[in-house]
């Protein structure tokens, strides 16, 4: 599984003009599922997202994690992160999980996140979404769980 995490001041996701998920300060995680991913990768990715130290401590150093701050977590499925872009000018999605497998893994990740952390919101799997965010920093990291 792949997550592109962004430290945000706030973020929200709209579908058909309606906000379906919103957070204040915290992390926006765009998440892609790959064909061989399973519940184990979802658990590992969540550990990384919650524990990754991207928030400032009293000295201004990135030493605090989302688990430390208790900030919001907005999980948004984004299969395009798993695209194969190594050649040509059009992405191939053979490296992304088929939709039903992707849905199962993403929903498992959401279930684990809600059990482990307060303030978890989501987009809507498979929907055309507008993601609005204020990236704080900017701070953005690519995380993978194998």
């Amino acid at each position: 599984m792949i997550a592109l995490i962004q430290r945000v001041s706030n973020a929200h996701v709209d579908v058909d003009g309606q906000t379906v998920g919103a957070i204040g300060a915290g992390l926006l995680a765009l998440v892609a599922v790959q064909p061989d991913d399973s519940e184990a990768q979802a658990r590992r990715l969540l550990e990384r997202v919650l524990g990754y130290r991207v928030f400032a401590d009293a000295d201004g150093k990135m030493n605090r994690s989302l688990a430390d701050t208790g900030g919001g977590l907005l999980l948004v499925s984004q299969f395009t992160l798993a695209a194969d872009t190594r050649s040509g000018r059009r992405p191939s999605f053979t490296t992304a999980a088929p939709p039903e497998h992707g849905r199962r893994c993403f929903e498992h990740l959401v279930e684990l996140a809600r059990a482990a952390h307060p303030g978890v919101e989501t987009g809507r799997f498979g929907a055309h979404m507008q993601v609005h965010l204020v990236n704080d920093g900017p701070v953005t990291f690519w995380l993978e769980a194998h």
Side-chain angles (χ1 to χ4, degrees):
M1 289 183 92
I2 301 165
L4 182 74
I5 62 170
Q6 298 178 74
R7 185 177 72 188
V8 298
S9 299
N10 62 73
H12 68 275
V13 178
D14 295 342
V15 175
D16 295 328
Q18 301 280 21
T19 298
V20 297
I23 61 168
L27 290 179
L28 165 64
L30 303 172
V31 178
V33 178
Q34 296 171 301
D36 293 334
D37 288 340
S38 67
E39 292 180 1
Q41 281 78 27
R43 280 191 302 277
R44 177 68 181 125
L45 186 66
L46 180 63
E47 289 171 4
R48 297 202 69 208
V49 168
L50 293 179
Y52 215 67
R53 298 183 309 171
V54 299
F55 296 95
D57 63 13
D59 296 324
K61 304 268 191 228
M62 283 193 209
N63 278 326
R64 299 182 72 218
S65 68
L66 190 65
D68 296 331
T69 66
L73 176 59
L74 180 56
L75 297 169
V76 177
S77 63
Q78 187 175 352
F79 78 96
T80 60
L81 286 176
D84 181 353
T85 60
R86 293 175 289 186
S87 66
R89 290 190 275 170
R90 184 168 188 260
S92 167
F93 297 107
T94 58
T95 50
E100 281 313 306
H101 178 65
R103 178 185 303 275
R104 280 192 307 274
C105 285
F106 181 76
E107 288 175 355
H108 184 68
L109 175 69
V110 170
E111 179 182 307
L112 292 172
R114 287 186 168 146
H117 189 78
V120 175
E121 296 282 330
T122 68
R124 185 173 299 151
F125 188 92
H128 183 93
M129 296 176 271
Q130 287 79 48
V131 180
H132 307 264
L133 67 134
V134 176
N135 189 317
D136 181 21
V139 173
T140 303
F141 293 97
W142 175 279
L143 302 178
E144 292 184 74
H146 299 284

